[in-house]
């Protein structure tokens, strides 16, 4: 089984709908992250969390919210999806220090029509 | 501001050729970290290497090697004797000291043909 699991793998939704993307990890890492990947733009950080009580905005947090339900679970929500949120979303984890390498999930392809 | 530039959008080579992927970075930090990640067709990003700004030694791992030059703000990645399994998108990334904000380049798609 994968160490960092994202669900769903693919999702198609309509503008205005609320969407939740889920991430769970078995690595025992404290730090978790949500990134989005757009063609030609690389990956950009949406939110990150150091532990269940510590949530931080990344460079593109507008339109998104997150919840760290437990050390192992970090979910990303789009309260009212819009077409420019169509992207490939990645969850990642790292050990408890800055500048450590990231371990990525397989990604969720989200399409907002 | 921090920035990572991967000017090569796509590279195609034939198996067994050597190929170098370029990465140029910008930062005002004196302490920083550079990374390379591989994204194969399956989609999941895989860590390849991390280098801190005080360690300019080149590194070799099998067919992979990395050339870090602070004088030119570059951290280039070379694959020797490329194989079809090397086909992937490769990302260079930069983080400042003691921060979790990783700045990614736009990636270079490498296609290795048999």
């Amino acid at each position: 089984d994968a160490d960092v699991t994202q669900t769903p793998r693919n999702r198609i939704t309509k503008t205005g709908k609320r969407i939740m993307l889920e991430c769970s990890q078995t690595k025992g890492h404290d730090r978790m992250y949500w990134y989005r990947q757009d063609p030609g733009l690389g990956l950009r950080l949406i939110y990150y969390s150091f532990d269940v009580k510590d949530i931080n905005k990344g460079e593109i947090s507008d339109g998104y919210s997150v919840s760290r339900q437990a050390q192992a679970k970090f979910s990303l929500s789009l309260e009212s999806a819009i077409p420019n949120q169509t992207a490939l979303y990645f969850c990642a984890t790292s050990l408890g220090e800055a500048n450590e390498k990231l371990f990525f999930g397989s990604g969720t392809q989200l399409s907002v029509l | 501001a921090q920035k990572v530039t991967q000017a090569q959008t796509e590279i195609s080579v034939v198996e067994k050729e050597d190929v170098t992927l370029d990465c140029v970075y910008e930062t005002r930090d004196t302490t920083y970290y550079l990374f390379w990640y591989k994204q194969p067709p399956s989609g999941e990003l895989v860590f390849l290497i991390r280098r801190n700004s005080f360690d300019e030694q080149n590194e070799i791992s099998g067919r992979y090697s990395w050339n870090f030059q602070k004088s030119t703000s570059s951290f280039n990645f070379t694959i020797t004797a490329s194989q079809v399994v090397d086909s992937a998108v490769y990302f260079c990334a930069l983080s400042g000291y003691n921060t979790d904000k990783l700045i990614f380049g736009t990636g270079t798609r490498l296609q290795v043909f048999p």
Side-chain angles (χ1 to χ4, degrees):
Chain A
D1 289 339
D3 294 322
V4 183
T5 302
Q6 292 184 234
T7 56
R9 289 297 308 273
N10 292 280
R11 182 71 183 269
I12 299 174
T13 190
K14 294 182 179 180
T15 297
K17 293 291 188 180
R18 184 178 188 275
I19 295 295
M20 180 180 287
L21 308 183
E22 300 189 352
C23 176
S24 63
Q25 52 115 347
T26 58
K27 300 189 76 65
H29 288 169
D30 287 327
R31 300 187 178 207
M32 297 187 73
Y33 310 79
W34 277 104
Y35 284 88
R36 66 176 277 177
Q37 181 180 8
D38 297 276
L41 293 180
L43 281 81
R44 292 178 292 167
L45 182 62
I46 306 172
Y47 271 97
Y48 59 105
S49 168
F50 292 163
D51 63 39
V52 294
K53 297 180 182 179
D54 190 350
I55 304 290
N56 303 279
K57 292 183 177 181
E59 59 181 310
I60 54 164
S61 58
D62 288 348
Y64 301 94
S65 62
V66 291
S67 173
R68 185 80 184 267
Q69 302 93 326
Q71 186 206 36
K73 295 184 182 296
F74 192 37
S75 59
L76 175 72
S77 294
L78 289 67
E79 295 301 325
S80 180
I82 56 177
N84 76 1
Q85 291 178 312
T86 294
L88 182 56
Y89 290 84
F90 284 101
C91 175
T93 72
S94 71
L95 288 170
E97 292 183 6
N99 308 118
E100 286 290 331
K101 66 180 180 182
L102 300 178
F103 295 84
F104 285 86
S106 298
T108 294
Q109 178 62 56
L110 176 65
S111 297
V112 183
L113 305 179
Chain B
Q2 296 185 326
K3 184 179 179 181
V4 175
T5 301
Q6 294 181 257
Q8 303 153 307
T9 304
E10 187 162 344
I11 301 174
S12 295
V13 299
V14 176
E15 218 171 10
K16 298 185 183 178
E17 284 187 33
D18 297 346
V19 58
T20 295
L21 309 182
D22 297 333
C23 173
V24 174
Y25 63 92
E26 296 175 29
T27 181
R28 293 181 180 177
D29 293 342
T30 55
T31 303
Y32 52 90
Y33 293 80
L34 294 162
F35 301 78
W36 276 95
Y37 285 86
K38 174 182 180 180
Q39 185 179 35
S42 59
E44 182 175 334
L45 281 90
V46 177
F47 167 84
L48 295 178
I49 189 171
R50 182 185 76 162
R51 173 69 75 217
N52 74 54
S53 53
F54 295 107
D55 184 1
E56 283 193 77
Q57 270 197 325
N58 291 332
E59 180 150 342
I60 299 175
S61 177
R63 296 184 296 106
Y64 294 173
S65 62
W66 290 269
N67 183 311
F68 176 28
Q69 291 195 340
K70 290 177 74 172
S71 61
T72 56
S73 297
S74 65
F75 187 43
N76 296 338
F77 173 31
T78 298
I79 301 175
T80 302
S82 61
Q83 299 176 2
V84 173
V85 293
D86 294 327
S87 297
V89 180
Y90 292 86
F91 290 96
C92 181
L94 164 71
S95 69
Y97 175 69
N98 203 32
T99 176
D100 280 75
K101 296 183 179 179
L102 192 60
I103 306 299
F104 282 84
T106 53
T108 297
R109 180 179 299 278
L110 173 65
Q111 293 193 325
V112 182
F113 294 99

